[in-house]
Amino acid sequence: MTDEYYMKRALQLARRGAGRVSPNPLVGAVVVKGDRIIGEGYHQRYGGPHAEINAINKAKAPLDGATFYVTLEPCSHYGKTPPCVEALLKIKPARVVIGITDPNPLVAGRGIAALQRAGIATVVGVEERACREINEGYFKFITTGIPFVTLKFAQTIDGRIASATGNSRWISSLPSRTFAHRLRSNHDAVLVGCGTVLQDDPELTVRHVKGRNPLRIIVDSRLRLPLSARVLQDQRSARTVIASTGQAAPDKIRQLEERGIETLLAEDDGDSRIDLPKLIRKLGERQIASVLVEGGAAIATSLLKARFVDRLVIIVAPKILGKGIDAVGDLGKKSVDEALAMSFRRVYRLGEDIVIEARPKS
């Protein structure tokens, strides 16, 4: 078997930690000896043992002379757990094959250098692109402190996210809605505007799949949400934070606090609306590494206009509404040449719908 074969297996393992390890990265590890896998592991939860340690603990044969395959450079610093590179140095494997260097300033090549100083053959860059893609959110957050932002919406073929009356249930199919719940479980937070809550009264929890509930963030500059809204109910299974401005009534803030709901004071954009890029930066300061934006059109438009979207997930249903609410509003573009350029990463069928995953080109 080739190095690529075993690294692909390590990548499969790494993906199992999705939604449970943030703000740490997804990491998988495979231990091979004599063309036989003798140990496997992945980072299962934040604060728990890293992939390399789990693989070592599950090894079914002596580790001396083995080859370790790790999707990300072994850590070389003390955090929630001791450095993984120290465990490898004690074992002294014949080789360590690494998918990609860790951009974390506390690591950034130090783990690789330590292995090389110990005379351990080290290979870096096997399946590098795939190893980067599974941790694109971590890479952005650890180097900038800004959360990775995914914008997701479901629309008709003619680009409507709701009818002229505001009705949007259900544009997409059940398989697509199940997929949307999986997206929620893989993000630290889900963000919507108060208009979406007033119109649809969503729970914004994970129900169709197994996974954790994200932090629910509601953008509501004047605290218009009624106390009966679903997102303001049970705070034990899913917390809610309302981002508001100085326009919010103190009495409403007090009522929310009595329910265990935090009101986060955010800056406005000079037009009585919340400055979304500044809000997202503030979320990063709270160690929120990824945000799923689910609506509505004004929020989507504002973030796209500010170029604050890292990934788009667009679910296109085989329906035509005609007059309705546009998925994206005015971006201030006067010609096609000025349009925001996107690149398709994946396009596929899901139930009756088409899912488009895209990234900004710039």
Side-chain angles (χ1 to χ4, degrees):
M1 298 294 184
T2 64
D3 287 346
E4 288 75 16
Y5 173 86
Y6 293 117
M7 189 62 72
K8 286 177 181 177
R9 173 57 184 164
L11 282 162
Q12 290 177 339
L13 294 167
R15 293 186 182 97
R16 295 181 182 179
R20 294 188 293 272
V21 303
S22 182
N24 283 353
L26 299 171
V27 184
V30 173
V31 189
V32 177
K33 190 172 183 180
D35 291 331
R36 183 170 69 94
I37 294 177
I38 62 171
E40 293 184 335
Y42 65 97
H43 189 26
Q44 299 178 12
R45 61 178 178 82
Y46 177 68
H50 290 184
E52 300 92 321
I53 305 305
N54 284 329
I56 290 170
N57 291 338
K58 292 182 179 180
K60 299 177 181 179
L63 294 166
D64 57 298
T67 296
F68 273 75
Y69 293 87
V70 190
T71 56
L72 187 70
E73 176 183 5
C75 63
S76 54
H77 66 291
Y78 282 87
K80 294 286 184 180
T81 61
C84 292
V85 74
E86 289 188 0
L88 292 175
L89 292 175
K90 289 179 181 177
I91 293 168
K92 295 183 178 179
R95 298 171 71 226
V96 176
V97 181
I98 298 167
I100 192 170
T101 303
D102 190 341
N104 185 338
L106 296 175
V107 186
R110 292 181 178 86
I112 294 169
L115 294 170
Q116 292 173 337
R117 283 196 302 270
I120 298 172
T122 308
V123 179
V124 183
V126 175
E127 293 294 324
E128 181 174 358
R129 180 176 178 178
C131 291
R132 180 185 300 277
E133 285 183 355
I134 68 165
N135 276 314
E136 60 181 341
Y138 165 77
F139 275 43
K140 180 191 177 183
F141 179 69
I142 203 66
T143 56
T144 67
I146 302 172
F148 185 87
V149 176
T150 299
L151 172 61
K152 186 275 296 180
F153 54 83
Q155 66 172 44
T156 59
I157 291 176
D158 53 340
R160 310 291 188 240
I161 60 172
S163 68
T165 63
N167 176 262
S168 61
R169 293 190 175 182
W170 294 102
I171 285 179
S172 59
S173 63
L174 179 58
S176 293
R177 298 198 295 275
T178 300
F179 165 67
H181 280 241
R182 186 172 297 110
L183 273 178
R184 284 181 189 171
S185 72
N186 289 341
H187 285 76
D188 293 342
V190 56
L191 182 149
V192 301
C194 66
T196 296
V197 179
L198 291 172
Q199 179 65 42
D200 299 335
D201 195 19
E203 291 183 53
L204 299 179
T205 54
V206 175
R207 299 183 301 281
H208 295 311
V209 298
K210 290 184 178 180
R212 65 170 183 173
N213 288 320
L215 175 68
R216 301 176 292 190
I217 301 170
I218 315 301
V219 178
D220 186 1
S221 59
R222 295 186 179 88
L223 289 187
R224 294 187 294 147
L225 288 186
L227 295 177
S228 60
R230 290 185 185 183
V231 292
L232 302 183
Q233 304 314 309
D234 182 15
Q235 296 297 302
R236 291 171 296 179
S237 60
R239 287 179 53 232
T240 300
V241 172
I242 301 182
S244 192
T245 65
Q247 304 173 69
D251 285 348
K252 189 67 169 289
I253 294 175
R254 179 182 52 78
Q255 290 176 314
L256 291 168
E257 288 176 346
E258 289 174 353
R259 291 171 172 249
I261 298 164
E262 178 188 359
T263 302
L264 174 64
L265 184 62
E267 295 184 45
D268 65 47
D269 61 0
D271 196 22
S272 300
R273 292 175 297 191
I274 288 175
D275 188 311
L276 291 176
K278 288 183 179 179
L279 171 61
I280 289 172
R281 289 179 185 274
K282 184 171 287 190
L283 296 178
E285 294 171 3
R286 295 182 170 214
Q287 295 300 295
I288 294 172
S290 59
V291 178
L292 175 65
V293 179
E294 291 198 19
I299 297 284
T301 303
S302 179
L303 288 172
L304 286 168
K305 197 170 185 178
R307 296 182 179 272
F308 240 70
V309 173
D310 299 295
R311 174 174 64 162
L312 283 91
V313 178
I314 304 169
I315 299 168
V316 183
K319 300 172 183 177
I320 295 176
L321 268 173
K323 187 177 180 181
I325 298 175
D326 292 336
V328 180
D330 183 13
L331 294 174
K333 307 301 180 184
K334 304 303 181 183
S335 69
V336 174
D337 291 340
E338 296 177 353
L340 297 180
M342 301 287 164
S343 62
F344 289 165
R345 287 289 185 89
R346 296 180 65 202
V347 179
Y348 53 94
R349 283 282 299 270
L350 193 57
E352 297 179 345
D353 307 327
I354 299 294
V355 180
I356 301 170
E357 295 189 21
R359 303 290 190 280
K361 277 190 174 181
S362 59

